[in-house]
Amino acid sequence: MTDIILSDDVSRALAEGRAVVALESTIFSTLGLPVPFNAEALEICKQAIRAHGATPAVTAILDGRPHVGLTADEEKRVLLGTRKIAERDLAVAQAQRWDVGVTTVSATVALAHAAGISVFATGGIGGVHRGSEVTGDVSADLDAIGNHPVITVCAGAKAFLDLPRTLEYLETIGVPVLGWQHDWFPAFYTRSSGLPVPHRVEDEQVVCDVLRFRTRPDTGVLLTVPIPVPDEIPAARIDAVLTTALNASSEAGITGPAVTPYVLERIEKETDGESVPANLALARNNADLAARVAVELSRRSQPRE
Ligand code: PSU
Ligand code: MN
C-alpha cells in the first residue's frame, strides 16, 4: 500500500520500536455510536492505551489518503464520518479521493499491517450474518483477519450475527481464536455466547507466542475478551432487542454494507440507549488489553544488551 500518512507520534513510536495500538474509525463515527458518545469512546480508548505507555493509532481515509494516527482536527472529521470503508474500498477511496472515509475492522487490519503495527483494538468484529446461506453476507473482516499478521482484540461479535458459523469460518481460514481468561466466545453485550472459545489464554506472553509460532506468516490472531462483569447486559434483554432489530432490517429491505450500521442503530433505540455505556465499557477494556499485548510485543523486539 502506498502513500500512508502517519501522525508524528505514531511515526516516532514505530521508529523507536515502542508499542502502538491501531484503532478502527467506524466505531467512533456516526455509523458506530451516537453523538456525543462516539467522541467519549474515542477519548477513553486512547487514554486506556496511553495509560500503558503505548501510542493509539486511529485509521481513516482523509482527502483521499490513508491515515494511521490522527491529529485533533482530523479526529473531529472522523467523528462526523458517514462513509464506511472495508478493505476493498481503500483503493476506491484513494482513487476517487474521498473526503472522509471511516475504516472497518477489515480496512484497519490492512492499514495496520502496511504501517507495521501488530495489535489492533475494536469493539466487536463483523462476521457471518444469519441467513448467509441465502444472502451470502459474510463480513470482509473475517478474511482480512486471516490475511494480515495483526492481533485483533475484540469482545467477540454481536449476537445478531450467526456466531456458530462465524467461529466455523475462522477455523476454516486458519485464524487462532483465543479467549482472554475466559472459556466462552463473548457476544459483545454478554460475556458468553454459549459457544466455547477454541483456546483459553491467561496472559499476554501466550498471546504473543501464538503470533510468533503461527505457521502462516500472513495470518492474524483473534483475541476475544468478555465485557467486564458490571457492564454486562442480561442475555434475555439483549436477545429480544436483537431479534426486533434484525426483523426491522429485513422488513426495510436493507442489504449489503448498510445492514450492520442499521442494526446497530436499531439496537440503541430499542434499548433506550442502555446499550451505549456497555459499548463504551467494552471498547475501553479491549483497548486496555491491546495495549498490554502491544507493550509485551515491543519489549520482545528490543535488542538485547
Ligand atoms: N459491530 C459492532 N460495532 C461496529 C461494527 C460491527 O458491534 O461498529 C462495525 C465495525 O467497523 C466492523 C463493521 O468492522 O461494522 C462490519 O461491517 P460489515 O458487517 O458490513 O462487514
Ligand atoms: Mn456484509
Side-chain angles (χ1 to χ4, degrees):
M1 179 157 340
T2 53
D3 279 353
I4 293 187
I5 298 180
L6 299 178
S7 63
D8 290 343
D9 57 344
V10 168
S11 165
R12 231 176 298 123
L14 288 172
E16 293 168 10
R18 287 186 282 110
V20 178
V21 175
L23 292 168
E24 62 151 309
S25 47
T26 300
I27 178 180
F28 305 122
S29 75
T30 58
L31 301 177
L33 279 163
V35 176
F37 301 104
N38 58 340
E40 188 184 341
L42 174 56
E43 219 35 60
I44 62 176
C45 286
K46 289 194 302 176
Q47 271 174 26
I49 292 166
R50 290 211 175 101
H52 292 278
T55 302
V58 181
T59 64
I61 290 276
L62 293 165
D63 307 313
R65 305 273 306 271
H67 284 61
V68 175
L70 304 178
T71 64
D73 283 345
E74 288 167 346
E75 279 176 0
K76 283 192 192 123
R77 295 172 66 190
V78 159
L79 294 174
L80 301 171
T82 54
R83 273 183 119 172
K84 172 178 167 188
I85 297 191
E87 181 175 4
R88 67 169 186 175
D89 308 316
L90 284 169
V92 181
Q94 283 175 265
Q96 296 183 336
R97 300 187 203 293
W98 292 12
D99 180 32
V100 181
V102 291
T103 47
T104 63
V105 168
S106 68
T108 304
V109 290
L111 289 176
H113 180 195
I117 299 171
S118 302
V119 186
F120 156 50
T122 183
I125 58 165
V128 178
H129 285 253
R130 292 191 202 172
S132 67
E133 60 277 24
V134 176
T135 62
D137 194 350
V138 177
S139 175
D141 290 357
L142 301 181
D143 274 296
I145 293 167
N147 283 297
H148 296 285
V150 172
I151 300 170
T152 294
V153 183
C154 69
K158 287 201 170 104
F160 69 80
L161 296 168
D162 186 332
L163 298 182
R165 281 205 169 92
T166 299
L167 279 169
E168 289 293 347
Y169 194 94
L170 288 164
E171 180 183 349
T172 302
I173 64 174
V175 172
V177 179
L178 311 178
W180 180 256
Q181 299 174 349
H182 196 57
D183 295 316
W184 305 97
F185 187 71
F188 202 85
Y189 300 116
T190 50
R191 290 175 57 82
S192 173
S193 59
L195 302 164
V197 78
H199 302 286
R200 175 182 174 127
V201 295
E202 304 297 337
D203 56 48
E204 47 270 61
Q205 310 287 338
V206 176
V207 176
C208 295
D209 281 342
V210 171
L211 186 73
R212 175 174 167 213
F213 293 128
R214 74 202 186 286
T215 54
R216 300 180 188 181
D218 286 331
T219 294
V221 172
L222 189 66
L223 175 58
T224 68
V225 47
I227 183 171
V229 173
D231 304 299
E232 190 176 26
I233 301 181
R237 166 134 174 80
I238 206 70
D239 282 352
V241 167
L242 294 179
T243 308
T244 313
L246 266 187
N247 288 342
S249 165
S250 67
E251 270 159 33
I254 310 288
T255 57
V259 172
T260 296
Y262 184 91
V263 174
L264 295 181
E265 198 187 324
R266 287 301 297 226
I267 292 170
E268 174 213 315
K269 284 215 178 85
E270 301 287 338
T271 58
D272 295 323
E274 193 195 329
S275 64
V276 172
N279 207 328
L280 263 56
L282 69 86
R284 200 208 67 80
N285 193 46
N286 298 348
D288 175 81
L289 178 59
R292 286 172 57 180
V293 172
V295 166
E296 172 58 18
L297 269 186
S298 72
R299 197 186 61 75
R300 290 176 174 214
S301 62
Q302 296 297 326
R304 297 249 164 82
E305 293 286 309

